[in-house]
Structure formats: C-alpha cells, structure tokens
Amino acid sequence: MKTSVVHYSRYLLLFGIILLPLFGKLETVPIRVWDEARQAINAYEMSKNHNFLVTYFEGQPDMWNTKPPFLIWLQVVFMKVFGVSVLAVRLPSAIAAFLTCVLLLFFSERYLKSFWFGFIAVLLLVCAQGYVHYHATRTGDYDALLTLFTTAGNLFFFLHCESKKTKYLYLFFAATALGVLTKSVSGLLFLPALAIYAFYSKQFLPLIRNKHFYVGLTGCLLAVLGYYGLREVYNPGYLEAVYQNELGGRYLTAIEGHTGGFWFYYDDLINYRFPEFYLFIPCGVVIGLASKERPFRKMAAFSFLVTLTFFLIISTGKTKLPWYDVPLFPFYALLSAITLYCFFTILKKSTLITSLFQWNPLPFLLLFLLFINPYKRMKDKVMNPVEASSDVELYEMGYYLKDAVKGKHPTQDRFFVFEGYNPHNNFYIHMLKERGVTTGLKEWNSLAEGDKITTYQKTIQQHIEENYHTTRMEEAGNIVTYEIQQRKH
C-alpha cells in the first residue's frame, strides 16, 4: 500500500508542477493583436455562421490566414462550452501543452523505462521561456497544438522503427494529418529527418514494403487533400492564397518584413528562449550517443537528427519569426534531460548516502536546486505578466475592454471607434454583445449627435475635438469616452 501511494504521488507532484505554468491566469493578458486575434475572430464567426469548412474574417472568407481550421474547430467547441471568451480561445493551446507533457512522460516510461527521465524532461519543457510564452502555450495560436502533433508523430514513428508495431505507424499518420490540418505545411517539416532516420536505422525498405504504410498514407492524404480540395471548391482562389502565404512565398522571401540571418533562432535560443538550459543540449547529444544503454543511444540519435534537420530548415527560410522553433522544444527537453538524468542517476546510486539515511535525497536536491529559480521566474511570468514598454499603449484598450466585460466600465449604448487593424479589440466587442450589452463599432466619419463614443487613438480624439462639441464622460489613461453634442460650424 505504501509503495502504491509513493508511486502515484510522483504523478500528482508532476501534475501540480505543470498545472500553474500551463493553465495559470490564461485570461490575464488581453488578446494579442495579430495571429491570436485573427483566430479568435475566425472562431467567433464560425460559431455564428456554422460554416465549418471556410474560415471568415469580418464577414468575408479569410484569404490572409489560410491555415486549415482544426484549431478554430476546437476554439468553437470551447466557445459553445464556456461562452465567447478569452479562455475559450486559449484553452486548446494549454491543453495541447499538457498533452505534450503527458506524451514525453509516456515515451519515457514506455521506451526508456524511466519515470524520472520523463519527469526531468517535462520540468525542462515547462520552464522553457520560449515554450510557455505568447504565440505558444499561453495564447490561442497554432504553435502549441502543432507541437503536440509533430512531437507525437515523431515519437510514434521512432517507436514503430524500434518495435515494428503497426499501431505506432497508424498513430504517426494520424498525428501527421492533424499537424497539417492545424498549420498546413509546417506539419510536414520533420518528414525529411524521419526519412533520413529510416535509412539510418535500416527501416526504409521494410517500411515501404509494409502494406500498413500505404493504408496509413492513404488515410492521411485523404484527410489533408480532402480538406484542401473542398475548401477550394467552396472558396475559389484558396489554393493560390495558400501558396503565396505559406509555401514558396513565405519560405523564399521575407513576408511582411520578418527578416533575420541564419543564426536568428540560435541567438534567440541562448539569449531568450532556453537560456538556463541550452548548454545541456549538446552535452545530452554527446552523453546519449556514448551511452552503453541502447534505448538512450537510439533516442539521442533520433532527437538530435530531428532537431538539427528542423533547425536547418527554418534557419534557411527567408521569413523569420520567433515562434517557428516552438516544435523543437520537446526535443530540446529530451536532449537536455539526458544530461541531467546522467547526474541524477549517479547521485541516486550513491551507496554512502543510502547507508546514512533511510532514502537518498541527493538526486532530488539536485533537481530542486537546478529548477527552483527557472520555475520561480516562470511562475512570476505567468501570474504577474508585465507588458513590454513598446506594447503598453497597443494593449491599453484591451485591458479596458477586459475590465468592461467584467462590468468595471459602463459600455451600455456606447460605440467604440478604432482606426486601422483592431481585431484584438473587436473580439471584446463581440464578447460584450454576447453578454447582452448594446454596443458596437462605428466609423470615425459617421458620428451623430447623441452618440457616446469611446476611443484610445489620439488621431480620432483630435478629430472629434476639432469637429464636435462634446462632453467627456470618462477618462482612463489614454482612453476617452465622449458624448457628441453637435458638429462645430
């Protein structure tokens, strides 16, 4: 009985550790302006028009965000369950991150026969600044969900090569299809590494002679090509937009000014995204490849290959964005865990300590000392988020609207006036309407006497004050609510 309690308490401990970074205060920061806001509007409009094939933005088929809609479907489901909310937008990413942690633990116990290796790998993952971050696990973007499916696909492919079990082959194709249906071609970027590994492990010929390979491939192609074909039928021009946005256009040229040199992702990794642990990655490769235990040696070779190949692919692409490397973090965690697990094992086998105490605290003390500060920084980042100085003004209206949804600002019978691209703010207007508030958007050049107008942009405030007699009803920082009296002559 005591052994059973100790056994399951390890899982409860790990669950408690990962719960806060992944789920803590998901709604605290406002919707992010670019991709997350776009997906949020896509999901809201899909929940209203019930067109589950074509994503819409402001009433028109979205030809800028041309990704398949698997993430959007999940967000719609959560909107049905929890209502139109920031939580509904972000939960798919948080749950995907949680399942990625479960996957690493499953792989460790199933293949490496070690709970503690998986424990260490999961700790590394949830303490990674580039993984538990905006545009990854903390926002309603594609990347955490993509990472779940690419990690699953890679590990299932590896397990098939090692065990020859058919179920892993089918799981690989299922994960690959879901990865593509989440973020298009990004779900395929690990395939060159898997082909190289199949040759390296002498599994390429057995693989292409296996009838189940073709059954799985056919199912994967039917799911992916079926979606793209149907979308083109109902949304003509979609495939051309996909090519321009995601294939040749994005890889061969820098889209929207997102440029960077070859070492863009390396510099980000060591300076911002994995600063406490990046040196453990090359150490893990060396220790793993030199290991006398075949499972660790094979896992290290596989993880190094997929990491290096994917890294080279995104580094040679012309468009550079910080979150393109998110799918690498589970494999950074696995490689780094090799290094830490080596020291953990050495300390665990210390007979001197065991002879002095009932149990050996040294390996756990090592983990505590290594992770206490990174985990504390992650806790502070999640529980007390601070906007970058360059973003304070950009998201001021978002914080105001977030409070307005909670009833902290009067918005009944008021219009909001924005200029430019504002889906991050518009989503909150939809939230207010869903809660029965009579509100909406209005163009700055169509104001009428009696209108109550809230705006945060100086150019619009200047236009109102120069052209109308007004009463200031409320001021909150740069946000002003006017009541329009009459036009000035």
Side-chain angles (χ1 to χ4, degrees):
M1 179 66 181
K2 183 178 179 181
T3 303
S4 178
V5 170
V6 171
H7 175 76
Y8 288 109
S9 65
R10 302 182 305 177
Y11 295 96
L12 290 175
L13 173 63
L14 184 58
F15 175 77
I17 289 172
I18 67 178
L19 194 63
L20 186 144
L22 300 186
F23 293 96
K25 292 195 174 181
L26 274 179
E27 296 182 274
T28 297
V29 298
I31 291 283
R32 302 288 96 179
V33 62
W34 295 110
D35 293 357
E36 182 185 35
R38 194 89 178 192
Q39 277 93 251
I41 298 294
N42 289 157
Y44 175 76
E45 296 200 18
M46 183 178 285
S47 73
K48 294 302 179 183
N49 65 26
H50 300 111
N51 187 332
F52 298 103
L53 189 66
V54 180
T55 52
Y56 278 71
F57 182 76
E58 296 182 349
Q60 298 296 322
D62 196 342
M63 301 296 271
W64 182 79
N65 177 22
T66 52
K67 305 292 190 297
F70 190 77
L71 170 67
I72 309 303
W73 292 339
L74 295 178
Q75 290 173 332
V76 170
V77 169
F78 284 115
M79 284 183 184
K80 296 298 183 183
V81 174
F82 298 107
V84 178
S85 63
V86 177
L87 182 64
V89 172
R90 291 177 175 167
L91 263 180
S93 295
I95 293 172
F98 175 78
L99 293 177
T100 303
C101 293
V102 172
L103 184 63
L104 292 185
L105 188 61
F106 164 83
F107 174 76
S108 178
E109 293 196 309
R110 179 61 58 92
Y111 181 70
L112 301 174
K113 311 300 182 187
S114 171
F115 167 84
W116 290 110
F117 182 91
F119 186 96
I120 293 168
V122 170
L123 273 181
L124 285 161
L125 188 60
V126 299
C127 286
Q129 296 291 330
Y131 183 68
V132 182
H133 195 58
Y134 303 150
H135 227 296
T137 70
R138 298 290 300 175
T139 51
D141 293 289
Y142 296 106
D143 303 276
L145 192 62
L146 171 70
T147 299
L148 168 64
F149 294 134
T150 55
T151 305
N154 289 342
L155 294 181
F156 288 139
F157 184 86
F158 175 78
L159 289 173
H160 172 73
C161 289
E162 290 295 289
S163 68
K164 315 301 184 294
K165 290 182 178 179
T166 301
K167 66 177 181 180
Y168 291 129
L169 190 59
Y170 284 121
L171 287 170
F172 158 70
F173 280 115
T176 300
L178 290 171
V180 176
L181 291 175
T182 296
K183 203 179 179 185
S184 188
V185 69
S186 299
L188 302 175
L189 294 185
F190 282 103
L191 293 188
L194 301 187
I196 294 170
Y197 186 78
F199 276 108
Y200 165 77
S201 60
K202 299 180 181 178
Q203 293 301 311
F204 186 79
L205 288 179
L207 196 62
I208 62 174
R209 291 170 180 167
N210 187 339
K211 67 178 182 180
H212 296 288
F213 174 84
Y214 296 99
V215 174
L217 178 62
T218 300
C220 180
L221 290 174
L222 284 174
V224 171
L225 297 181
Y227 172 76
Y228 278 94
L230 283 172
R231 176 75 180 260
E232 177 66 21
V233 169
Y234 289 97
N235 182 194
Y238 172 68
L239 293 181
E240 174 62 23
V242 169
Y243 175 77
Q244 293 299 328
N245 292 340
E246 302 174 29
L247 301 175
R250 186 171 291 267
Y251 191 77
L252 299 177
T253 59
I255 298 294
E256 299 166 356
H258 298 299
T259 60
F262 179 82
W263 298 107
F264 177 89
Y265 296 105
Y266 173 78
D267 292 337
D268 248 13
L269 179 73
I270 65 174
N271 292 315
Y272 309 111
R273 296 174 72 75
F274 207 47
E276 298 96 345
F277 305 112
Y278 73 92
L279 287 175
F280 291 141
I281 299 172
C283 294
V285 173
V286 173
I287 294 171
L289 293 178
S291 175
K292 295 180 180 179
E293 298 183 44
R294 183 181 182 279
F296 281 91
R297 193 166 62 251
K298 297 286 283 186
M299 184 271 291
F302 177 79
S303 298
F304 174 61
L305 177 62
V306 297
T307 299
L308 179 63
T309 306
F310 190 93
F311 184 88
L312 290 174
I313 290 172
I314 61 174
S315 294
T316 52
K318 297 299 183 183
T319 300
K320 299 289 198 307
L321 286 165
W323 51 86
Y324 281 3
D325 68 350
V326 172
L328 286 173
F329 277 88
F331 294 96
Y332 289 153
L334 286 173
L335 289 170
S336 301
I338 294 173
T339 305
L340 297 184
Y341 185 69
C342 177
F343 291 107
F344 180 88
T345 304
I346 291 171
L347 292 175
K348 196 174 182 181
K349 292 178 179 178
S350 172
T351 55
L352 175 62
I353 298 297
T354 306
S355 64
L356 296 175
F357 299 96
Q358 293 290 327
W359 65 290
N360 183 358
L362 284 183
F364 306 102
L365 181 61
L366 171 69
L367 296 185
F368 178 81
L369 294 175
L370 281 173
F371 285 103
I372 183 63
N373 284 329
Y375 188 82
K376 183 180 182 299
R377 280 193 288 273
M378 186 60 71
K379 179 185 76 70
D380 292 341
K381 171 183 172 179
V382 167
M383 302 304 288
N384 303 293
V386 177
E387 294 286 359
S389 57
S390 58
D391 289 338
V392 170
E393 185 175 345
L394 176 64
Y395 290 111
E396 185 176 17
M397 178 58 85
Y399 283 102
Y400 177 91
L401 288 168
K402 184 168 72 75
D403 287 341
V405 170
K406 298 176 181 177
K408 295 182 179 180
H409 297 288
T411 52
Q412 182 70 26
D413 298 321
R414 295 187 183 184
F415 293 104
F416 290 86
V417 181
F418 306 135
E419 185 178 39
Y421 188 75
N422 275 273
H424 57 308
N425 294 325
N426 296 349
F427 183 72
Y428 286 100
I429 307 301
H430 293 309
M431 288 176 61
L432 287 167
K433 289 180 178 179
E434 290 294 314
R435 286 155 177 77
V437 177
T438 303
T439 186
L441 298 170
K442 198 158 191 176
E443 296 294 330
W444 61 269
N445 56 0
S446 62
L447 306 182
E449 185 177 330
D451 282 347
K452 298 172 183 176
I453 301 298
T454 300
T455 184
Y456 71 105
Q457 293 166 313
K458 297 297 184 183
T459 53
I460 295 175
Q461 292 171 6
Q462 183 179 353
H463 168 80
I464 291 173
E465 292 172 5
E466 287 179 352
N467 291 277
Y468 298 92
H469 294 289
T470 64
T471 300
R472 288 197 173 207
M473 301 177 64
E474 182 188 18
E475 293 186 46
N478 292 314
I479 300 164
V480 181
T481 300
Y482 300 92
E483 183 173 2
I484 306 296
Q485 303 297 336
Q486 62 182 22
R487 181 180 273 280
K488 293 179 179 179
H489 298 292

